[in-house]
Amino acid sequence: MEVLLPRTLEEALEIKAARPEAVPIAGGTDLMVELNFDRRRPALMVDVSRLPELREWRRENGTVFLGAGVTFTRIIRELPEFVPLVQASRTVGSPQIRNRGTVGGNLGTASPAGDALPVLAAYDAEIVLAAAGGRRRALPWHQFLVGPKRHAAAPDELILGARWGIVRGPGSFSKVGPRNAMVIAVASLCLVMDEGARAFRVALGSVGPTILRAPEAEAFAVRALADAGAWDDPRASLSPPALQEFGERVAAAARPIDDVRGTAAYRRHACAVLARRALAWAFEDRRSTSRSS
Ligand SMILES: Cc1cc2nc3c(=O)[nH]c(=O)nc-3n(C[C@H](O)[C@H](O)[C@H](O)COP(=O)(O)OP(=O)(O)OC[C@H]3O[C@@H](n4cnc5c(N)ncnc54)[C@H](O)[C@@H]3O)c2cc1C
C-alpha cells in the first residue's frame, strides 16, 4: 500500500486529480477500522490530516466555516457557542476518538449514524468541495448526503469543510443508545430554534437511509408558537398536547428499519421522545436567558 503525505491542499488536490482512486485519510478512526477488518484494502491513500487549509475554522459575514480537518476535541474547546455541535461532538466515541476524528471524516463516511451530520442538517449547512486548479463548489447538505454511506463528492474532489449561517436561539443534540458513551446512535435528533427568522429546524439521524429533516413538525412548531404568542414572550411555552403533537410529527418523518441496534417501532418512539425533550429544553433555555438578561 502506498501512502502519500502532501503538505498543502493544492498538492493533495493534484494527487487526487492525477490519481482519483487515492483514498483520503484524516483521523483514520473509520478508515483504519475498515482496513483492520479487511473490508477495504486501498492501493493508495492520501493523508489529509496535515493540511493547514482543512484544520481551520472561521467566521465570515454572519456565517461560520468549519474545516474538514477540525477534530471533535477542538470543536468542544473552540466553538462553545455552537451548542448542538458541541453536544454532538461530546458524544462521539471516547477522548481518543474525539482527538483524532474529524467532521470531514464524519461527512466522508456519510453514515446515517454520524453524530455531526444531524447538526449540519439542522444548521442547513452547505458542504464545500475542492478540486485542483482552484475549483470550488458548495452543495447543500441534502445534495451532498445521497444515501447510506454515499455522498456526492467527485473522485477528484476533497471535502474542504462545512459552512452555515449563524442563528440566534437555543438548540440541542441528543441521541439514544444502549449506554451513555461509546455508542452508535439508535436514533438522534438535533433541534435548532431560529429566533430571528421565527423558524425551527429538526434533523434526525439513524432513522433512515440518510439524515432526515422533519418539515411538517418544523412548520407545526412555528404555528404553535405563533398561536401561543410565544415568539414575542420568552417565558411562554407550549401546552402538553402541542408538545405531544410535535413529537408525533417528528416521529412521522422518520423512515427507520429494524436492525441489530433497534426496531423501527422503537426508533420512531425514540424520535418522539427526543423531539418533545428538545423542544422543552429550548423553552427552558429561552426562559433562563430572558431571566439573566
Ligand atoms: C471506537 C469508535 C467509536 C466511534 N464512535 C462514534 C460516535 O459515537 N459517533 C460518530 O459519529 N462516529 C463515531 N465513530 C466513527 C468515526 O470516529 C467518525 O465517523 C469520525 O468523524 C471519522 O473521522 P476521521 O477523521 O477519523 O475519518 P477517517 O477514518 O480518516 O475517514 C473517514 C472517511 O472519510 C473520508 N475522508 C476523510 N477526510 C476527507 C476529506 N477531507 N475529503 C474527502 N474524504 C475524506 C475517508 O476517505 C474515509 O472514507 C467511532 C469510531 C470508532 C473507531
Side-chain angles (χ1 to χ4, degrees):
M1 181 188 298
E2 201 183 344
V3 181
L4 299 178
L5 308 175
R7 294 224 174 83
T8 65
L9 176 63
E10 207 42 48
E11 226 176 283
L13 293 172
E14 276 160 21
I15 293 169
K16 283 294 274 176
R19 300 175 71 182
E21 75 283 6
V23 175
I25 178 163
T29 60
D30 275 325
L31 203 52
M32 291 310 294
V33 176
E34 299 276 290
L35 262 67
N36 285 343
F37 283 104
D38 240 346
R39 291 190 205 124
R40 271 176 100 174
R41 188 71 29 200
L44 174 62
M45 296 208 289
V46 52
D47 180 357
V48 295
S49 69
R50 297 148 203 249
L51 307 180
E53 297 90 339
L54 264 53
R55 292 163 64 122
E56 59 182 47
W57 69 269
R58 58 184 179 273
R59 278 171 234 275
E60 24 184 59
N61 303 327
T63 67
V64 62
F65 172 81
L66 178 63
V70 178
T71 63
F72 295 110
T73 297
R74 283 188 56 209
I75 290 174
I76 296 165
R77 281 203 202 118
E78 298 173 28
L79 288 102
E81 80 179 78
F82 299 98
V83 173
L85 186 63
V86 168
Q87 289 173 336
S89 301
R90 274 206 207 104
T91 78
V92 173
S94 60
Q96 294 89 334
I97 298 295
R98 295 195 284 273
N99 285 344
R100 295 287 312 166
T102 62
V103 171
N106 221 232
L107 284 162
T109 296
S111 161
D115 285 324
L117 306 183
V119 180
L120 296 179
Y123 283 156
D124 247 343
E126 52 183 22
I127 312 306
V128 185
L129 303 170
R135 280 185 296 136
R136 302 289 182 264
R137 64 179 178 134
L139 291 178
W141 66 272
H142 50 91
Q143 286 177 22
F144 176 80
L145 297 170
V146 290
K149 301 207 169 179
R150 286 195 303 117
H151 62 68
D156 66 341
E157 287 178 321
L158 285 173
I159 303 165
L160 203 56
R163 184 188 297 120
W164 64 87
I166 299 172
V167 299
R168 182 175 55 81
S172 64
F173 170 87
S174 45
K175 81 182 188 189
V176 169
R179 58 186 182 190
N180 237 350
M182 285 287 285
V183 73
I184 301 177
V186 174
S188 64
L189 178 142
C190 180
L191 177 142
V192 168
M193 182 174 179
D194 181 346
E195 301 264 16
R198 298 197 163 188
F200 278 94
R201 300 204 288 262
V202 181
L204 301 170
S206 276
V207 293
T210 184
I211 305 303
L212 301 169
R213 283 273 293 270
E216 286 190 16
E218 293 171 2
F220 171 79
V222 169
R223 277 197 312 274
L225 254 78
D227 292 347
W231 285 111
D232 294 313
D233 179 5
R235 290 158 306 164
S237 188
L238 287 189
S239 66
L243 280 175
Q244 181 75 22
E245 182 163 354
F246 175 68
E248 283 162 16
R249 288 182 184 234
V250 170
R255 284 158 46 206
I257 52 164
D258 293 334
D259 69 12
V260 285
R261 284 184 279 128
T263 62
Y266 177 71
R267 287 185 150 109
R268 268 194 207 286
H269 173 72
C271 286
V273 174
L274 290 176
R276 289 199 303 269
R277 281 187 196 155
L279 196 51
W281 289 333
F283 291 134
E284 272 170 38
D285 280 0
R286 292 176 96 213
R287 271 195 295 278
S288 60
T289 312
S290 76
R291 270 200 300 273
S292 58
S293 59

